[in-house]
Amino acid sequence: MARLLGPDFISIQTHDLDAARIFYSEVVGLKLVPHSPPGAVVFDTGPVAFAVRNPVGPLDTEQALGEGVALWFGCDDADALHGQLVAHGTPIVFAPKDGPFGRYFAFRDPFGYAITAHTVG
């Protein structure tokens, strides 16, 4: 029987790839891959690749993007990243706290997606 193996690529949609590239690389600190396909910005993340892309269909920006979807990113220091994002004026969904996967918090990117960051390692 065929089966899913697990996530191996995550992308979110936006109408502003340049703003997404700047936010995720310069504010959040993700490294860009050398070459991205047309209509997308791909980041050097692992073990699962992450990208932002132009919408594949109509994108209703009146609704909360990603509502009901949980996107978690590992980071090297949740408290430090939280401080960095606060200094940048990034909206915080909830402040760092201890949880089942260590320190974690959530922020809202400029496009409305809630992203959770947790300290790994």
Side-chain angles (χ1 to χ4, degrees):
M1 170 164 59
R3 62 187 173 87
L4 292 177
L5 300 176
D8 68 353
F9 186 78
I10 296 170
S11 71
I12 58 176
Q13 301 180 98
T14 180
H15 288 297
D16 192 339
L17 284 180
D18 288 333
R21 177 188 48 75
I22 290 167
F23 179 78
Y24 280 103
S25 64
E26 296 179 14
V27 177
V28 177
L30 294 180
K31 181 181 174 188
L32 294 161
V33 299
H35 304 286
S36 292
V41 177
V42 181
F43 300 92
D44 185 10
T45 59
V48 176
F50 172 70
V52 291
R53 60 166 294 122
N54 287 330
V56 295
L59 183 60
D60 180 6
T61 56
E62 299 300 316
Q63 301 293 326
L65 294 173
E67 193 68 37
V69 175
L71 296 175
W72 284 59
F73 282 74
C75 67
D76 54 0
D77 186 334
D79 291 302
L81 180 59
H82 173 264
Q84 177 181 318
L85 294 175
V86 167
H88 183 268
T90 302
I92 302 299
V93 176
F94 62 85
K97 58 185 174 182
D98 293 322
F101 304 109
R103 294 288 288 170
Y104 73 112
F105 75 99
F107 61 92
R108 195 159 306 278
D109 77 3
F111 320 102
Y113 290 99
I115 307 292
T116 300
H118 68 104
T119 301
V120 294

